[in-house]
Amino acid sequence: MFNKFTMPGIFALALGSSLAACGAEEPGLEDTENVGQDAQELQSFIAPFRDGSTMRGSPTDWDHNHGKASCAPGEVVSGISVYSGDHQGRNALCKQGDAAKFTGTVAATLLLDNAADQRRASRLGDWAPGFYKLECGSGEYVSGVSENATQFQGDNKFHGVQCAQGAGFTEDTTCTVRIFDLGDDRGDSTIVDWDQYAYKGECAINEHVAGVSVSPATGAPHSLLCCQSSGPAPTMLPGQTFWGTGAFTEFVAQTATECYTPCLEDASCTGGTFNPHKQQCWLRTGSAAIGGGIPSDYAFTVSSSLGDAYAQSLMHAGRTFWGTGPLHEFTTTSAAACYQACIHNGSCTGGTFNPHKQQCWLRTGNADVGAGLVSDSAFVISAGRRDEALQALVTKFAPRLRFDGSAPNYPMSAQVFYDAAVAKPQTGRVDNTDIASLSAGTIPTYTQATVCGAQVRIQYWFFYGHQPSCDGVSGAHSGDWERIMVTLREDRSQIAAVTYWTHGYYYTRLVERGHVPIEDSTHPVVFAGKNSHASFYNQGGVGEVCWPAWGEWRNNSNGAHIDTWNNLVSLAANAEPWMSHDRKGDFEYWGDDGVSTHPTQAWPSCNMPAASWKTGLETWEHTDCEYGDTEALETCWTSGWDSYTKAWTIGVTDRGLIKPN
């Protein structure tokens, strides 16, 4: 039999350390609770498999005459390294996890003997085009890997994976592909460089390897399919709908997991409806009965106990997370409340929940999960997960854009305009005059989100290929950008303020004063000026005028509107090619006589006045006073016309927005 090393890991890396005790108010510290055998440090083990075997799990020779690495029960393969020279496999990384979840029970062995994909599930479709894919089944994880040993097959090509059965897994389609054949791609870089001079693919702390892709030409490992192993999930009821008592958010979703996960992670959500045919998700608030729906609808409800069980499934029992500094500590009996408080705080990177102490400790900074009490449960929020939570807010609070009944044109794709009128000389009008396009979901709204402490500010940009004359004489030009900014409350549950731009200047309205129209519970309404496309908070106007701006028609007489949340495109990366050129300043104007606005260079600021100023525009007359001041606007601006309102800055806390400053 081919030589197998049966020692419990060639190297052990401690991924946590016991911290000095300073009182019973910190996690992991209590005289009456054992911190011994049940609170061992979370560890990872390097398991070499090139021309040898490391069998930490079952001693069964599951791939005879091949080099193998097998993780022990309670461990998962969380990483693989390859030589930087021939790019063939070198070591596996076995990381400790939840022993109840990662059973070690072998479900299948997938080998590349037939030079073809070996897949027991299809989580992300073709997640590695042009490469062989070895993918474990739904609810399974990779517990071992193998290669062609030099003394037998002679080439060290990657050969197979062993799949083990997980316990309490859901659909686990929240996955990331990490490509590491030409360089490191590590989701958990807090661990030391566990294999120097080798390229490493590694999953995040809350992920496991569910698949490996391999090059058909060289047989070298190419990428890892890293998936989250979340626990309890709601029951999906076919042909039913759940409407609750109010809207929470609506967005595009390709899987049930994408639909219900935001509901599990927000205490105000009580259920929803998912339609895979329409790829749409509707989340709701309040209690109500499940009702009839169309055959392709799937209804679900989320109880507080289910939300708590879900949060607990994302935590590491008997562990603590200290980060690099304290953030917030509060009393709670709910794992969900602790986890959700971190998810909705841009500074939080993880925490510890202890139901025995009824305490939650939230932390900042990157660090390891370490030893704790038996009753401690630690969790870490990855940067990717925080981005997902932020994007969920962008979707939840996206505006409904309403147009004048006689509007001559509508928003369009900035990329289409760029290709036709910026990348090459403009030869004619590039515009969208098709009212039917408003309901087709094809018009993008571009977004940016900035975290200001606990507060989030989101800008929504609308692009128009042409602005007609606003008074029949002046104001006409090509490419035109308009926007609004939504400022959320500190707890991120509701909108606190909306800032509207018109003719390049802006003003701010407060929800708490009742001065922001909101539809479907979370979506602010924006009325677009008939010709200038300026953003208004109300309908009205007296004609086709440029000045004063509030005289322009904006009457939504035909109900024409865009629900922007159906097509949101982030400006954070180069999702469309024009963004890269805009970011680098490769061009000045949008078209031959368009605006010189560059959205990628104009992110929401955490330090901005409530309004900008131009004589004749009177933005101060439409900017609310700070909350708690005299209700009448006149007391804010008549003494010196702009002296008060111009002076107040949109606060990064709730003060001045929903409570007195």
Side-chain angles (χ1 to χ4, degrees):
M1 178 179 290
F2 180 53
N3 177 43
K4 295 193 292 290
F5 299 108
T6 57
M7 63 186 70
I10 303 302
F11 303 99
L13 302 177
L15 299 187
S17 57
S18 300
L19 302 181
C22 295
E25 296 305 313
E26 297 289 349
L29 302 170
E30 187 170 297
D31 293 337
T32 59
E33 193 168 355
N34 178 28
V35 195
Q37 184 175 359
D38 292 325
Q40 296 297 312
E41 294 178 350
L42 183 64
Q43 293 181 322
S44 283
F45 300 89
I46 298 177
F49 64 94
R50 183 166 176 139
D51 292 333
S53 291
T54 305
M55 305 296 286
R56 294 182 49 76
S58 169
T60 303
D61 188 4
W62 56 271
D63 196 4
H64 187 58
N65 287 340
H66 290 77
K68 293 172 288 295
S70 292
C71 297
E75 299 174 356
V76 294
V77 173
S78 64
I80 294 177
S81 66
V82 297
Y83 276 100
S84 57
D86 63 10
H87 302 279
Q88 299 297 344
R90 174 180 167 100
N91 294 314
L93 184 68
C94 295
K95 183 185 291 186
Q96 282 186 347
D98 188 335
K101 182 181 294 184
F102 302 111
T103 65
T105 303
V106 176
T109 299
L110 307 179
L111 304 176
L112 280 174
D113 292 333
N114 296 325
D117 286 356
Q118 302 294 319
R119 306 180 67 183
R120 289 167 57 81
S122 182
R123 291 168 174 82
L124 297 182
D126 190 356
W127 48 270
F131 293 84
Y132 296 143
K133 288 165 284 294
L134 303 171
E135 184 174 351
C136 295
S138 179
E140 299 173 358
Y141 63 95
V142 174
S143 59
V145 296
S146 67
E147 59 95 42
N148 292 343
T150 299
Q151 53 267 60
F152 290 96
Q153 293 79 24
D155 54 18
N156 294 118
K157 292 182 178 180
F158 197 84
H159 188 240
V161 301
Q162 186 179 59
C163 301
Q165 183 63 54
F169 282 17
T170 59
E171 190 179 2
D172 63 9
T173 53
T174 304
C175 303
T176 301
V177 178
R178 303 197 179 278
I179 302 173
F180 65 100
D181 58 337
L182 297 177
D184 284 0
D185 190 348
R186 303 179 63 193
D188 186 6
S189 57
T190 61
I191 302 176
V192 296
D193 187 351
W194 49 273
D195 197 356
Q196 290 184 331
Y197 314 116
Y199 298 145
K200 293 167 287 294
E202 185 175 350
C203 298
I205 192 169
N206 63 336
E207 297 175 336
H208 61 271
V209 176
V212 180
S213 71
V214 180
S215 168
T218 65
H222 166 258
S223 68
L224 302 180
L225 181 64
C226 295
C227 298
Q228 294 182 13
S229 51
S230 55
T235 301
M236 309 298 289
L237 303 175
Q240 303 289 306
T241 58
F242 176 76
W243 292 99
T245 57
F248 177 70
T249 187
E250 174 186 343
F251 55 94
V252 175
Q254 296 182 338
T255 68
T257 303
E258 291 178 9
C259 182
Y260 64 65
T261 297
C263 192
L264 287 166
E265 295 183 346
D266 196 302
S268 58
C269 183
T270 56
T273 304
F274 170 60
N275 189 303
H277 177 68
K278 297 179 180 179
Q279 294 192 343
Q280 202 72 14
C281 176
W282 299 266
L283 300 184
R284 311 294 289 184
T285 63
S287 300
I290 289 177
I294 61 177
S296 54
D297 282 336
Y298 288 83
F300 62 92
T301 57
V302 171
S303 64
S304 58
S305 60
L306 180 62
D308 215 49
Y310 170 80
Q312 194 73 59
S313 75
L314 301 175
M315 299 180 177
H316 300 273
R319 315 293 182 189
T320 59
F321 176 76
W322 291 88
T324 57
L327 177 63
H328 181 47
E329 175 184 343
F330 61 96
T331 300
T332 181
T333 59
S334 166
C338 187
Y339 181 79
Q340 290 167 8
C342 188
I343 277 283
H344 297 305
N345 188 311
S347 301
C348 185
T349 56
T352 304
F353 170 63
N354 189 303
H356 177 66
K357 297 179 180 179
Q358 297 185 358
Q359 204 71 12
C360 173
W361 297 267
L362 302 184
R363 312 291 287 188
T364 62
N366 294 320
D368 304 326
V369 171
L373 303 174
V374 175
S375 55
D376 282 335
S377 291
F379 60 93
V380 176
I381 308 296
S382 67
R385 185 64 198 90
R386 287 198 301 274
D387 289 343
E388 290 174 7
L390 196 60
Q391 188 56 46
L393 296 175
V394 172
T395 301
K396 179 178 179 179
F397 298 107
R400 174 169 283 155
L401 189 57
R402 292 191 174 276
F403 302 92
D404 187 85
S406 300
N409 65 342
Y410 308 99
M412 63 176 294
S413 163
Q415 185 63 51
V416 170
F417 184 90
Y418 176 88
D419 291 341
V422 179
K424 58 185 179 182
Q426 184 173 354
T427 58
R429 181 179 296 184
V430 183
D431 199 5
N432 176 25
T433 60
D434 182 11
I435 192 172
S437 67
L438 302 181
S439 59
T442 57
I443 300 174
T445 295
Y446 300 94
T447 67
Q448 299 158 316
T450 294
V451 177
C452 306
Q455 186 190 86
V456 174
R457 298 181 180 181
I458 309 167
Q459 279 185 170
Y460 299 90
W461 293 83
F462 323 111
F463 181 79
Y464 296 81
H466 178 74
Q467 176 179 303
S469 171
C470 49
D471 59 5
V473 178
S474 60
H477 60 79
S478 295
D480 185 33
W481 283 103
E482 299 294 341
R483 61 174 150 160
I484 68 163
M485 184 181 78
V486 171
T487 298
L488 303 184
R489 296 184 177 200
E490 284 185 86
D491 66 6
R492 307 185 182 186
S493 65
Q494 298 179 52
I495 297 172
V498 176
T499 303
Y500 304 82
W501 268 257
T502 177
H503 294 291
Y505 299 85
Y506 66 86
Y507 58 99
T508 300
R509 311 283 289 182
L510 302 184
V511 172
E512 198 66 19
R513 288 187 175 275
H515 293 166
V516 176
I518 293 178
E519 295 182 359
D520 293 338
S521 299
T522 64
H523 300 296
V525 179
V526 181
F527 295 94
K530 176 181 176 180
N531 293 311
S532 75
H533 311 130
S535 298
F536 298 95
Y537 61 90
N538 62 0
Q539 301 189 73
V542 296
E544 294 189 354
V545 298
C546 298
W547 307 101
W550 274 268
E552 184 178 19
W553 274 327
R554 52 191 186 277
N555 295 302
N556 189 223
S557 57
N558 60 356
H561 70 276
I562 294 176
D563 290 338
T564 63
W565 52 91
N566 288 323
N567 193 343
L568 298 175
V569 180
S570 173
L571 290 168
N574 298 323
E576 294 180 356
W578 70 265
M579 297 179 187
S580 174
H581 299 288
D582 188 80
R583 208 180 311 278
K584 292 185 293 185
D586 290 343
F587 63 96
E588 185 173 1
Y589 299 106
W590 284 87
D592 54 9
D593 62 347
V595 298
S596 59
T597 304
H598 298 282
T600 62
Q601 302 174 32
W603 281 70
S605 170
C606 294
N607 182 22
M608 59 185 288
S612 56
W613 311 95
K614 179 180 175 64
T615 301
L617 195 57
E618 293 84 32
T619 51
W620 58 90
E621 292 188 26
H622 295 268
T623 295
D624 280 334
C625 307
E626 290 184 279
Y627 185 79
D629 291 343
T630 304
E631 187 71 22
L633 286 174
E634 288 78 3
T635 61
C636 294
W637 59 266
T638 51
S639 58
W641 63 270
D642 70 340
S643 60
Y644 179 91
T645 311
K646 183 176 181 179
W648 86 270
T649 297
I650 302 174
V652 296
T653 70
D654 288 340
R655 294 187 177 277
L657 298 177
I658 67 171
K659 64 172 89 171
N661 195 345

